[in-house]
Amino acid sequence: MSTIKKDYVRPLNVKTGRVDMNHGAGGRAAMQLIEELFLPAFDNPYLRQGHDGAALPLPGAGRLVVATDAHVISPLFFPGGDIGALSVHGTVNDVAMNGATPLYLSASFILEEGFPLADLKRIVDSMGAAAREAGVAIVTGDTKVVEQGKGDGVFISTTGVGVAAPGVDTSGANARPGDVILVSGTIGEHGVAVLSQRESLAFETAIVSDTAALHALVADMLAALPGREGTLHVLRDPTRGGLATTLNEIARQSGVGMLLEEAAIPVLPQVDAACELLGLDPLYVANEGKLIAVCAPEAADAVLAAMRAHPLGANAARIGTVTEDPHRFVQMATRLGGRRVVDWLSGEQLPRIC
C-alpha cells in the first residue's frame, strides 16, 4: 500500500513521460496533470479557485461578446508559433473582431494517449505566455484523453469572453457602398509557414507564421475615431479561406459587391514565390495575425494611420472599395488592366491549418 501511495505523489516525469488514460479519468492522475502542468502555466486567481466554471467580473457598460474556436493544426509546432499560442490568438481575435476587449478564456484539451508530456508542457507554456501577453486570463477548462490512434496528439478548443463599448458594432453585415476596404498587412504567411513545415520545404528566406493577438490594434483603430466609432463598419480576420473568402462572406452578409486593386494587396515576395511554386493563390491562404477593416470613406485615413502606427499594422494598405451589386460579387482590377471575379474558396487548399 505504501508503494502505491508513493507512486501517486511522485512528480510528473515531464521529460520522458507520456499522457495515459489515467490523466483523463478524473482521478488523482488527472488532478496531478492539472496542478503540475496546467496551473503553473495559466495561474490566476479565478483558475486557482478550482471550480468547474468561473464567476467573473465584467467592467463597465457595453455588450458582452463570446466567441469559441477549435484548433486542430498539423504540425503542432511551426515557424513562428504552435497550437498553444494559436489557440489563444485565434479566440482573442474573434472577440476583437466584434470590437470588444477580450478579458477571459476557457480552454478544453483532447489529448491522445501516448502524447509526450514534454510536448504538452511546451504547448501549455506557450499558451500561458500568449495569454499573459494578450492580457487575458485562462479561467477554466477541461481535459479528456482518448485511446492511442483515436486522436492526433492534441486538439484544443477555446472560448473567449469580452466587452464591446456602447456604439461599437463591427458586424459583417454593416458594409455599405462607397466604404473603403483596408487590410492590416501582408497576407499568406501563416498558411505557407505551416505548409513548409508540414512538407519539409526549405526556402531561401524564412517564412514564419503571423500569428498574433490583434485586440490592441483594434483598440488603437477605434481610439482614432473619437465619437465616430460607428464609421468603422466591419472587422474580420481572414483565417481559413484567406482574404478572398472572408471578403466574400462580408459581401454576402451585407448584400454588396467589392472591387479590389490587385497591385495594392500586400504580399511578401517570398510568400508570393512559394505560392507560385506550390500552385497556391495567396488570396486564399490562411492568416492568423491580420485583419480586414471596412470603414466609411471619411474615416479611412484616420483608421489607416492608426493601423500603420501599430507594430501589427505597419504594412497596412487600402486595397479596394465596397460597391453596389445585387449579385454580391467580389471583383479585382488586375495589374494588366483587366478585371476578374474573386470567388469563394472551392474545396480546401490547406487542410488542418488552424
Side-chain angles (χ1 to χ4, degrees):
M1 291 295 292
S2 60
T3 302
I4 294 175
K5 186 174 182 180
K6 186 177 180 181
D7 286 343
Y8 273 134
V9 298
R10 184 179 298 158
L12 287 176
N13 185 350
V14 174
K15 287 187 177 179
T16 61
R18 294 183 177 271
V19 172
D20 62 42
M21 296 304 296
N22 288 328
H23 289 128
R28 296 188 68 171
M31 182 58 64
Q32 188 177 19
L33 188 71
I34 293 169
E35 290 184 348
E36 294 185 26
L37 197 147
F38 288 103
L39 185 58
F42 301 161
D43 192 27
N44 62 75
Y46 308 109
L47 186 63
R48 217 177 297 132
Q49 292 172 4
H51 300 313
D52 283 338
L56 306 168
L58 288 175
R63 295 178 296 113
L64 186 67
V65 171
V66 179
T68 193
D69 206 353
H71 306 273
V72 295
I73 194 165
S74 175
L76 298 174
F77 306 96
F78 49 85
D82 54 66
I83 191 172
L86 186 68
S87 67
V88 171
H89 295 157
T91 301
V92 163
N93 291 346
D94 285 345
V95 172
M97 293 309 107
N98 285 276
T101 300
L103 300 172
Y104 310 110
L105 293 176
S106 70
S108 174
F109 293 78
I110 297 178
L111 309 175
E112 185 182 15
E113 180 186 18
F115 188 73
L117 288 177
D119 285 348
L120 180 59
K121 184 177 189 306
R122 182 180 169 189
I123 289 167
V124 169
D125 285 349
S126 175
M127 194 171 175
R132 286 189 295 275
E133 185 177 355
V136 298
I138 300 173
V139 297
T140 188
D142 189 42
T143 304
K144 295 292 187 293
V145 179
V146 297
E147 295 89 345
Q148 193 162 27
K150 295 187 177 180
D152 192 11
V154 178
F155 299 150
I156 303 177
S157 294
T158 44
T159 297
V161 177
V163 174
V168 176
D169 180 6
T170 56
S171 164
N174 292 341
R176 305 167 189 170
D179 281 355
V180 174
I181 305 167
L182 308 173
V183 67
S184 64
T186 52
I187 62 170
E189 288 102 306
H190 176 72
V192 173
V194 171
L195 183 62
S196 67
Q197 185 74 15
R198 186 185 298 171
E199 303 298 336
S200 300
L201 300 175
F203 302 107
E204 289 185 6
T205 305
I207 300 174
V208 300
S209 170
D210 62 346
T211 181
L214 297 169
H215 59 298
L217 173 60
V218 171
D220 285 358
M221 294 162 64
L222 290 168
L225 301 169
R228 297 187 297 150
E229 294 86 352
T231 56
L232 182 55
H233 292 157
V234 180
L235 289 171
R236 293 291 296 274
D237 55 335
T239 53
R240 285 176 300 174
L243 181 72
T245 298
T246 304
L247 290 175
N248 273 282
E249 290 173 353
I250 297 169
R252 182 175 181 272
Q253 282 184 275
S254 295
V256 296
M258 295 182 180
L259 179 60
L260 309 179
E261 296 290 336
E262 183 178 23
I265 299 173
V267 184
L268 290 175
Q270 59 267 38
V271 170
D272 205 21
C275 286
E276 186 173 355
L277 175 67
L278 298 167
L280 302 174
D281 185 337
L283 292 176
Y284 295 92
V285 177
N287 311 270
E288 289 293 344
K290 301 298 188 306
L291 64 81
I292 297 166
V294 180
C295 58
E298 65 270 19
D301 288 343
V303 173
L304 185 58
M307 293 167 79
R308 289 176 173 170
H310 191 282
L312 295 178
N315 296 312
R318 183 189 303 233
I319 62 170
T321 56
V322 177
T323 62
E324 191 168 348
D325 182 356
H327 301 293
R328 306 176 185 183
F329 287 157
V330 176
Q331 301 182 66
M332 185 161 67
T334 68
R335 289 186 175 89
L336 299 177
R339 186 176 291 194
R340 71 177 179 92
V341 172
V342 179
D343 208 348
W344 293 78
L345 175 66
S346 178
E348 191 169 14
Q349 285 194 121
L350 300 173
R352 300 286 303 278
I353 205 71
C354 56

